[in-house]
Coordinates of all heavy atoms in Angstrom, one line a residue:
L243 N 14.8 12.1 20.7 CA 13.4 12.1 21.3 C 13.2 10.9 22.1 O 13.6 9.8 21.7 CB 12.5 12.1 20.0 CG 11.0 12.3 20.4 CD1 10.6 13.6 21.1 CD2 10.2 12.3 19.1
H244 N 12.4 11.0 23.2 CA 12.1 9.8 24.1 C 11.0 9.1 23.4 O 10.1 9.7 22.8 CB 11.7 10.3 25.4 CG 11.6 9.2 26.4 ND1 10.5 8.4 26.5 CD2 12.4 8.8 27.3 CE1 10.7 7.6 27.5 NE2 11.9 7.7 28.0
P245 N 11.0 7.7 23.5 CA 9.9 7.0 22.8 C 8.5 7.3 23.3 O 7.6 7.4 22.5 CB 10.3 5.5 23.3 CG 11.7 5.5 23.6 CD 12.0 6.9 24.1
M246 N 8.4 7.6 24.6 CA 7.1 8.0 25.1 C 6.6 9.3 24.4 O 5.5 9.5 24.0 CB 7.2 8.2 26.6 CG 5.8 8.6 27.3 SD 4.7 7.1 27.2 CE 3.1 8.0 27.3
S247 N 7.5 10.3 24.4 CA 7.2 11.6 23.6 C 6.9 11.3 22.2 O 5.9 11.9 21.7 CB 8.4 12.5 23.8 OG 8.7 12.8 25.1
A248 N 7.7 10.4 21.6 CA 7.4 10.1 20.2 C 6.0 9.5 20.0 O 5.2 9.8 19.0 CB 8.4 9.1 19.6
Y249 N 5.6 8.6 20.9 CA 4.2 8.1 20.8 C 3.2 9.1 20.9 O 2.3 9.2 20.2 CB 4.0 7.0 22.0 CG 2.6 6.5 22.0 CD1 2.3 5.5 21.1 CD2 1.6 7.1 22.7 CE1 1.0 5.1 20.9 CE2 0.3 6.6 22.7 CZ 0.0 5.6 21.8 OH -1.2 5.2 21.7
M250 N 3.4 10.1 21.9 CA 2.4 11.1 22.1 C 2.4 12.1 20.9 O 1.3 12.5 20.4 CB 2.7 11.9 23.4 CG 2.5 11.1 24.7 SD 3.0 11.9 26.1 CE 1.6 13.0 26.3
L251 N 3.5 12.3 20.2 CA 3.5 13.2 19.1 C 2.8 12.5 17.9 O 2.1 13.2 17.2 CB 4.9 13.5 18.7 CG 5.6 14.5 19.7 CD1 7.1 14.6 19.4 CD2 5.1 15.9 19.7
A252 N 3.1 11.2 17.7 CA 2.4 10.5 16.6 C 1.0 10.4 16.9 O 0.2 10.5 15.9 CB 3.1 9.1 16.5
R253 N 0.5 10.2 18.0 CA -0.9 10.1 18.4 C -1.5 11.5 18.1 O -2.6 11.6 17.5 CB -1.0 9.9 19.9 CG -2.5 9.6 20.3 CD -2.4 9.5 21.9 NE -3.5 8.7 22.4 CZ -4.7 9.2 22.9 NH1 -4.9 10.5 22.7 NH2 -5.6 8.4 23.4
G254 N -0.9 12.6 18.6 CA -1.4 13.9 18.3 C -1.5 14.2 16.8 O -2.5 14.8 16.3
M255 N -0.5 13.7 16.0 CA -0.5 14.0 14.6 C -1.7 13.3 13.9 O -2.0 13.8 12.7 CB 0.8 13.5 14.0 CG 2.0 14.6 14.3 SD 3.5 14.1 13.3 CE 2.9 14.6 11.7
K256 N -2.3 12.3 14.4 CA -3.3 11.6 13.7 C -4.5 12.6 13.4 O -5.3 12.4 12.5 CB -3.8 10.4 14.5 CG -2.7 9.4 14.4 CD -3.2 8.1 15.1 CE -1.9 7.2 15.1 NZ -2.2 5.8 15.7
T257 N -4.7 13.6 14.3 CA -5.8 14.6 14.2 C -5.3 15.9 13.7 O -6.0 16.9 13.6 CB -6.5 14.8 15.5 OG1 -5.4 15.3 16.5 CG2 -7.2 13.5 16.0
L258 N -4.0 15.9 13.1 CA -3.5 17.2 12.7 C -4.3 17.9 11.6 O -4.7 19.1 11.8 CB -2.1 17.0 12.1 CG -1.3 18.2 11.7 CD1 -1.0 19.0 12.9 CD2 0.0 17.9 11.0
E259 N -4.7 17.2 10.6 CA -5.6 17.8 9.5 C -6.9 18.4 10.2 O -7.3 19.5 9.8 CB -5.7 16.9 8.4 CG -6.3 17.7 7.2 CD -6.8 16.7 6.0 OE1 -7.5 15.8 6.3 OE2 -6.6 17.1 4.9
L260 N -7.6 17.5 10.9 CA -8.9 17.9 11.5 C -8.7 19.2 12.3 O -9.4 20.2 12.3 CB -9.4 16.9 12.5 CG -10.0 15.6 11.9 CD1 -10.3 14.7 13.0 CD2 -11.3 16.0 11.2
R261 N -7.6 19.2 13.1 CA -7.4 20.3 14.1 C -7.0 21.6 13.3 O -7.6 22.7 13.5 CB -6.2 20.1 15.1 CG -6.6 19.2 16.2 CD -5.4 18.9 17.2 NE -4.5 18.1 16.7 CZ -3.1 18.5 16.5 NH1 -2.8 19.7 16.6 NH2 -2.2 17.6 16.1
I262 N -6.1 21.5 12.3 CA -5.7 22.7 11.5 C -6.8 23.3 10.7 O -6.9 24.4 10.6 CB -4.4 22.3 10.6 CG1 -3.3 21.8 11.5 CG2 -4.0 23.6 9.8 CD1 -2.8 22.8 12.6
D263 N -7.7 22.3 10.1 CA -8.8 22.8 9.3 C -9.7 23.7 10.2 O -10.1 24.8 9.8 CB -9.6 21.7 8.8 CG -9.1 21.1 7.5 OD1 -8.2 21.7 7.0 OD2 -9.7 20.1 7.1
R264 N -10.0 23.2 11.5 CA -10.8 23.9 12.4 C -10.1 25.2 12.8 O -10.7 26.3 12.8 CB -11.0 23.0 13.6 CG -11.7 23.7 14.8 CD -13.2 23.8 14.5 NE -13.8 23.8 15.8 CZ -15.0 23.0 16.2 NH1 -15.4 22.3 15.2 NH2 -15.5 23.2 17.3
Q265 N -8.8 25.1 13.1 CA -8.1 26.4 13.5 C -7.9 27.4 12.5 O -8.0 28.6 12.8 CB -6.7 25.9 14.2 CG -6.9 25.2 15.6 CD -5.7 24.5 16.0 OE1 -5.2 23.6 15.3 NE2 -5.3 24.7 17.3
N266 N -7.7 26.9 11.3 CA -7.7 27.9 10.1 C -9.1 28.7 10.1 O -9.0 29.9 9.9 CB -7.6 27.2 8.8 CG -6.2 26.7 8.5 OD1 -5.2 27.1 9.1 ND2 -6.1 25.7 7.6
K267 N -10.2 28.0 10.1 CA -11.5 28.6 10.0 C -11.8 29.6 11.2 O -12.2 30.7 11.0 CB -12.6 27.5 9.9 CG -12.6 26.8 8.6 CD -13.9 26.0 8.5 CE -13.8 25.0 7.3 NZ -13.5 23.7 7.6
S268 N -11.4 29.1 12.5 CA -11.8 29.8 13.6 C -10.9 31.1 13.6 O -11.3 32.2 14.0 CB -11.6 29.0 14.8 OG -12.5 28.0 14.9
A269 N -9.7 30.9 13.3 CA -8.7 32.1 13.4 C -9.2 33.2 12.5 O -9.1 34.4 12.7 CB -7.3 31.6 13.1
M270 N -9.6 32.7 11.2 CA -10.1 33.7 10.3 C -11.2 34.5 10.8 O -11.3 35.7 10.7 CB -10.5 33.0 9.0 CG -10.8 33.9 7.8 SD -9.3 34.6 7.1 CE -10.0 36.2 6.6
Q271 N -12.2 33.8 11.4 CA -13.4 34.4 12.0 C -13.0 35.4 13.1 O -13.5 36.5 13.3 CB -14.3 33.4 12.5 CG -15.3 32.9 11.4 CD -16.2 31.9 11.9 OE1 -16.0 30.7 11.9 NE2 -17.4 32.3 12.5
V272 N -12.0 34.9 14.0 CA -11.6 35.8 15.2 C -10.9 37.0 14.5 O -11.2 38.1 15.0 CB -10.7 34.9 16.0 CG1 -9.9 35.9 17.1 CG2 -11.4 33.8 16.8
A273 N -10.1 36.9 13.6 CA -9.4 38.0 13.0 C -10.3 39.0 12.4 O -10.2 40.2 12.5 CB -8.4 37.5 11.9
L274 N -11.3 38.5 11.6 CA -12.4 39.4 11.1 C -13.0 40.1 12.1 O -13.4 41.4 12.0 CB -13.3 38.7 10.1 CG -12.7 38.2 8.9 CD1 -13.6 37.1 8.2 CD2 -12.3 39.3 7.9
F275 N -13.5 39.4 13.2 CA -14.2 40.1 14.2 C -13.4 41.2 15.0 O -13.9 42.3 15.1 CB -14.5 39.0 15.4 CG -14.9 39.5 16.7 CD1 -16.2 40.0 16.9 CD2 -14.0 39.6 17.7 CE1 -16.6 40.5 18.1 CE2 -14.3 40.1 18.9 CZ -15.7 40.6 19.1
L276 N -12.1 40.9 15.2 CA -11.2 41.8 15.9 C -11.0 43.0 15.0 O -10.9 44.2 15.4 CB -9.9 41.2 16.3 CG -10.0 40.2 17.5 CD1 -8.7 39.4 17.6 CD2 -10.4 40.9 18.8
N277 N -10.8 42.7 13.7 CA -10.5 43.8 12.7 C -11.7 44.9 12.7 O -11.4 46.0 12.4 CB -10.4 43.2 11.4 CG -9.4 43.9 10.5 OD1 -8.5 44.5 11.0 ND2 -9.7 43.9 9.2
D278 N -12.8 44.4 13.0 CA -14.0 45.4 12.9 C -14.3 46.0 14.3 O -15.2 46.8 14.4 CB -15.3 44.6 12.5 CG -15.3 44.4 11.0 OD1 -14.5 45.2 10.4 OD2 -16.0 43.6 10.6
H279 N -13.5 45.7 15.3 CA -13.8 46.1 16.7 C -13.2 47.5 17.0 O -12.1 47.7 16.8 CB -13.4 45.1 17.7 CG -14.1 45.2 19.1 ND1 -13.8 46.2 19.9 CD2 -15.1 44.5 19.6 CE1 -14.6 46.2 20.9 NE2 -15.4 45.1 20.8
P280 N -14.0 48.4 17.5 CA -13.5 49.8 17.7 C -12.4 49.8 18.8 O -11.6 50.9 18.8 CB -14.7 50.5 18.2 CG -15.8 49.6 18.6 CD -15.5 48.3 17.8
K281 N -12.3 48.9 19.7 CA -11.3 48.9 20.7 C -9.9 48.4 20.3 O -8.9 48.4 20.9 CB -11.7 48.3 22.0 CG -12.8 49.2 22.7 CD -13.2 48.7 24.0 CE -14.3 49.5 24.6 NZ -15.0 48.9 25.7
V282 N -9.9 47.7 19.0 CA -8.7 47.1 18.6 C -8.0 48.0 17.6 O -8.7 48.5 16.7 CB -9.1 45.8 17.9 CG1 -7.9 45.1 17.2 CG2 -9.8 44.8 18.9
E283 N -6.7 48.1 17.8 CA -6.0 49.0 16.9 C -5.6 48.4 15.6 O -5.8 48.9 14.5 CB -4.7 49.4 17.7 CG -4.0 50.6 17.0 CD -3.0 51.2 18.0 OE1 -2.0 50.4 18.4 OE2 -3.1 52.3 18.5
E284 N -5.0 47.1 15.7 CA -4.5 46.5 14.5 C -4.6 45.1 14.7 O -4.3 44.5 15.8 CB -3.1 47.0 14.2 CG -2.6 46.5 12.8 CD -1.4 47.2 12.2 OE1 -0.8 48.0 13.1 OE2 -0.9 46.8 11.1
V285 N -4.9 44.3 13.6 CA -4.9 42.8 13.6 C -3.8 42.3 12.7 O -3.8 42.8 11.5 CB -6.3 42.2 13.3 CG1 -6.3 40.7 13.4 CG2 -7.4 42.8 14.2
F286 N -3.1 41.4 13.1 CA -2.1 40.7 12.3 C -2.5 39.3 12.0 O -2.3 38.4 12.9 CB -0.6 40.8 13.0 CG -0.2 42.2 13.3 CD1 -0.5 42.7 14.7 CD2 0.6 42.9 12.5 CE1 -0.2 44.0 15.0 CE2 1.0 44.2 12.9 CZ 0.6 44.8 14.1
Y287 N -3.0 39.1 10.8 CA -3.3 37.7 10.4 C -3.1 37.7 8.8 O -3.7 38.5 8.1 CB -4.7 37.4 10.8 CG -5.1 35.9 10.5 CD1 -4.5 34.9 11.1 CD2 -6.1 35.6 9.6 CE1 -4.8 33.6 10.9 CE2 -6.4 34.4 9.3 CZ -5.8 33.3 10.1 OH -6.0 32.0 9.7
P288 N -2.4 36.6 8.4 CA -2.1 36.6 6.9 C -3.4 36.4 6.1 O -3.4 36.6 4.9 CB -1.1 35.4 6.8 CG -0.7 35.0 8.1 CD -1.7 35.6 9.1
G289 N -4.4 35.9 6.8 CA -5.6 35.7 6.0 C -6.4 37.0 5.6 O -7.3 37.1 4.8
L290 N -6.1 38.1 6.4 CA -6.8 39.4 6.1 C -6.2 40.0 4.7 O -5.0 40.1 4.6 CB -6.6 40.3 7.2 CG -7.2 39.9 8.6 CD1 -6.8 40.9 9.6 CD2 -8.7 39.8 8.4
T291 N -7.0 40.4 3.9 CA -6.5 41.0 2.6 C -5.7 42.3 2.9 O -4.9 42.7 2.0 CB -7.8 41.4 1.7 OG1 -8.6 42.1 2.5 CG2 -8.4 40.1 1.2
T292 N -6.0 42.9 4.1 CA -5.1 44.1 4.4 C -3.7 43.7 4.9 O -2.8 44.6 5.1 CB -5.9 44.9 5.5 OG1 -6.3 44.0 6.5 CG2 -7.0 45.6 5.0
H293 N -3.5 42.5 5.1 CA -2.2 42.1 5.7 C -1.2 42.2 4.6 O -1.3 41.7 3.5 CB -2.3 40.6 6.2 CG -1.0 40.1 6.9 ND1 0.0 39.6 6.2 CD2 -0.7 40.0 8.2 CE1 1.0 39.3 7.1 NE2 0.5 39.4 8.3
K294 N 0.0 42.8 5.0 CA 1.1 43.0 4.0 C 1.5 41.8 3.2 O 1.9 41.9 2.0 CB 2.3 43.6 4.7 CG 2.6 45.0 4.7 CD 4.0 45.4 5.1 CE 3.9 46.8 5.7 NZ 5.0 47.0 6.7
G295 N 1.6 40.6 3.9 CA 2.1 39.4 3.2 C 0.9 38.6 2.6 O 1.1 37.4 2.2
H296 N -0.3 39.1 2.6 CA -1.5 38.3 2.2 C -1.3 37.7 0.8 O -1.6 36.4 0.6 CB -2.7 39.1 2.1 CG -4.0 38.4 1.7 ND1 -4.5 37.4 2.5 CD2 -4.7 38.5 0.5 CE1 -5.5 36.9 1.8 NE2 -5.7 37.5 0.6
D297 N -0.7 38.4 -0.1 CA -0.6 37.8 -1.5 C 0.3 36.6 -1.6 O 0.0 35.6 -2.2 CB -0.1 38.9 -2.5 CG -1.2 39.8 -2.8 OD1 -2.5 39.6 -2.5 OD2 -0.9 41.0 -3.2
F298 N 1.6 36.7 -0.9 CA 2.4 35.5 -0.9 C 1.8 34.4 -0.1 O 1.9 33.3 -0.4 CB 3.8 35.7 -0.2 CG 4.4 37.1 -0.4 CD1 4.8 37.9 0.6 CD2 4.5 37.6 -1.8 CE1 5.5 39.1 0.4 CE2 5.1 38.8 -2.0 CZ 5.6 39.6 -0.9
A299 N 1.1 34.8 1.0 CA 0.5 33.7 1.8 C -0.5 33.0 1.0 O -0.5 31.7 1.0 CB -0.2 34.4 3.0
K300 N -1.3 33.7 0.2 CA -2.3 33.0 -0.6 C -1.7 32.1 -1.6 O -2.2 31.1 -1.9 CB -3.2 34.1 -1.4 CG -4.7 33.7 -1.4 CD -5.5 34.9 -1.8 CE -5.2 35.3 -3.3 NZ -6.1 36.5 -3.7
E301 N -0.6 32.5 -2.1 CA 0.2 31.8 -3.1 C 0.8 30.5 -2.5 O 0.7 29.4 -3.2 CB 1.3 32.7 -3.6 CG 2.3 32.1 -4.6 CD 1.6 32.1 -6.1 OE1 0.7 32.8 -6.4 OE2 2.2 31.2 -6.9
Q302 N 1.3 30.6 -1.4 CA 2.2 29.5 -0.9 C 1.6 28.7 0.2 O 2.1 27.6 0.6 CB 3.6 29.9 -0.5 CG 3.6 30.8 0.8 CD 4.9 31.6 0.9 OE1 5.7 31.8 -0.1 NE2 5.2 32.1 2.0
M303 N 0.4 29.2 0.8 CA -0.2 28.4 1.9 C -1.6 28.0 1.5 O -2.3 28.6 0.7 CB -0.3 29.3 3.1 CG 1.0 29.8 3.6 SD 0.7 31.0 5.0 CE 0.6 29.9 6.4
S304 N -1.9 26.8 2.0 CA -3.3 26.3 1.7 C -4.3 26.6 2.7 O -5.6 26.5 2.6 CB -3.4 24.8 1.3 OG -2.7 24.1 2.4
G305 N -3.8 27.2 3.8 CA -4.7 27.7 4.9 C -3.8 28.7 5.7 O -2.5 28.7 5.5
F306 N -4.4 29.7 6.4 CA -3.6 30.8 6.9 C -3.2 30.6 8.4 O -2.5 31.4 9.0 CB -4.4 32.1 6.8 CG -4.7 32.5 5.3 CD1 -5.9 32.4 4.8 CD2 -3.6 32.8 4.5 CE1 -6.2 32.8 3.5 CE2 -3.9 33.1 3.2 CZ -5.1 33.2 2.7
G307 N -3.6 29.5 9.0 CA -3.1 29.0 10.2 C -3.9 29.5 11.4 O -4.9 30.3 11.3
G308 N -3.5 29.0 12.6 CA -4.3 29.2 13.8 C -3.8 30.3 14.7 O -4.2 30.6 15.8
M309 N -2.7 31.0 14.2 CA -2.0 32.0 15.0 C -2.4 33.4 14.5 O -2.3 33.7 13.3 CB -0.5 31.9 14.9 CG 0.0 30.6 15.5 SD -0.4 30.6 17.3 CE 0.4 32.1 17.9
L310 N -2.7 34.4 15.4 CA -2.8 35.7 15.1 C -2.4 36.6 16.2 O -2.2 36.0 17.3 CB -4.3 36.0 14.7 CG -5.3 35.7 15.8 CD1 -5.7 37.0 16.5 CD2 -6.6 35.2 15.1
S311 N -2.3 37.9 16.0 CA -1.9 38.8 17.0 C -2.7 40.1 16.8 O -3.1 40.4 15.6 CB -0.5 39.0 17.2 OG 0.1 39.6 16.1
F312 N -2.9 40.9 17.9 CA -3.7 42.1 17.7 C -3.2 43.1 18.8 O -2.8 42.6 19.9 CB -5.2 41.9 17.8 CG -5.7 41.2 19.0 CD1 -6.3 42.0 20.0 CD2 -5.7 39.9 19.1 CE1 -6.9 41.3 21.2 CE2 -6.2 39.2 20.2 CZ -6.8 39.9 21.2
S313 N -3.3 44.4 18.5 CA -3.0 45.3 19.5 C -4.3 46.1 19.9 O -5.2 46.2 19.1 CB -2.0 46.3 19.0 OG -2.4 46.9 17.7
L314 N -4.3 46.6 21.2 CA -5.4 47.2 21.7 C -5.1 48.8 21.7 O -4.0 49.1 21.9 CB -5.7 46.8 23.1 CG -6.2 45.4 23.3 CD1 -6.4 45.0 24.8 CD2 -7.4 45.1 22.5
K315 N -6.2 49.6 21.4 CA -6.0 51.0 21.6 C -5.8 51.3 23.1 O -6.6 50.6 23.9 CB -7.3 51.7 21.1 CG -7.4 51.7 19.6 CD -8.7 52.3 19.2 CE -8.8 52.3 17.6 NZ -10.1 52.6 17.1
G316 N -4.9 52.2 23.4 CA -4.8 52.5 24.8 C -3.6 51.9 25.5 O -3.5 52.1 26.7
G317 N -2.8 51.1 24.8 CA -1.5 50.7 25.3 C -1.6 49.5 26.3 O -2.7 48.9 26.4
Y318 N -0.5 49.2 26.9 CA -0.3 48.0 27.7 C -1.3 48.0 28.9 O -1.8 47.0 29.4 CB 1.2 47.9 28.2 CG 1.3 46.6 28.9 CD1 1.1 45.3 28.3 CD2 1.7 46.6 30.3 CE1 1.3 44.2 29.0 CE2 1.9 45.5 31.0 CZ 1.7 44.2 30.4 OH 1.9 43.0 31.1
E319 N -1.6 49.2 29.4 CA -2.6 49.3 30.5 C -3.9 48.6 30.2 O -4.5 47.9 31.0 CB -3.0 50.7 30.9 CG -1.9 51.5 31.6 CD -1.4 50.7 32.9 OE1 -2.3 50.4 33.8 OE2 -0.2 50.4 33.0
K320 N -4.3 48.7 29.0 CA -5.6 48.0 28.4 C -5.3 46.5 28.5 O -6.3 45.7 28.7 CB -6.0 48.5 27.1 CG -6.4 50.0 27.1 CD -7.7 50.1 27.8 CE -8.2 51.6 27.7 NZ -9.3 51.9 28.5

Side-chain angles (χ1 to χ4, degrees):
L243 183 64
H244 191 279
M246 184 66 205
S247 301
Y249 177 81
M250 291 173 79
L251 291 171
R253 185 189 208 266
M255 281 188 73
K256 291 183 189 183
T257 54
L258 185 64
E259 194 194 40
L260 282 176
R261 286 186 282 113
I262 300 301
D263 275 353
R264 170 81 153 226
Q265 284 164 309
N266 284 341
K267 288 194 189 100
S268 295
M270 188 72 213
Q271 274 179 268
V272 169
L274 288 169
F275 163 81
L276 291 169
N277 209 30
D278 279 342
H279 200 286
K281 290 184 181 171
V282 173
E283 193 164 65
E284 191 170 0
V285 182
F286 302 88
Y287 186 64
L290 295 175
T291 51
T292 47
H293 187 277
K294 258 191 208 152
H296 176 71
D297 289 340
F298 320 131
K300 217 168 68 182
E301 176 79 23
Q302 70 198 17
M303 301 176 83
S304 52
F306 299 111
M309 291 301 300
L310 58 97
S311 60
F312 57 101
S313 53
L314 294 178
K315 287 179 186 161
Y318 186 62
E319 283 309 304
K320 295 288 183 191

